[in-house]
Amino acid sequence: MRYIALTNPTRSATQGSNDCDRKWFTRLVVAGIIYTQLQELNLKYPTVSKEQHQELLNAKEILESQKEG
């Protein structure tokens, strides 16, 4: 109920305001903040050399053969 005072300071939370009417806005703001923060992290997939890639494929084969047997 605290966000009601932030969005409309002249209206008290006890004046019968319907909180459900503002949930979409709160969720939109939070989603926007999360999106912005994730973009600022500038995440990228790691690069793998050919040797590392081959090692990963070998490890995958070993694990898959253990699962079957």
Side-chain angles (χ1 to χ4, degrees):
M1 297 258 204
R2 186 181 299 174
Y3 68 88
I4 292 172
L6 294 174
T7 57
N8 192 353
T10 60
R11 187 172 193 168
S12 168
T14 59
Q15 288 180 321
S17 64
N18 189 353
D19 291 340
C20 295
D21 291 341
R22 292 189 177 96
K23 283 185 182 179
W24 70 270
F25 182 74
T26 302
R27 291 178 179 147
L28 178 68
V29 170
V30 170
I33 291 168
I34 291 171
Y35 176 79
T36 301
Q37 293 299 312
L38 286 174
Q39 291 296 317
E40 288 178 5
L41 290 175
N42 199 20
L43 300 174
K44 292 186 171 68
Y45 284 104
T47 57
V48 180
S49 69
K50 289 183 180 184
E51 292 174 355
Q52 291 172 326
H53 182 70
Q54 189 59 44
E55 289 177 19
L56 289 171
L57 290 176
N58 293 339
K60 179 182 175 184
E61 288 178 18
I62 292 170
L63 290 173
E64 287 177 344
S65 68
Q66 290 176 355
K67 184 172 76 172
E68 294 170 2

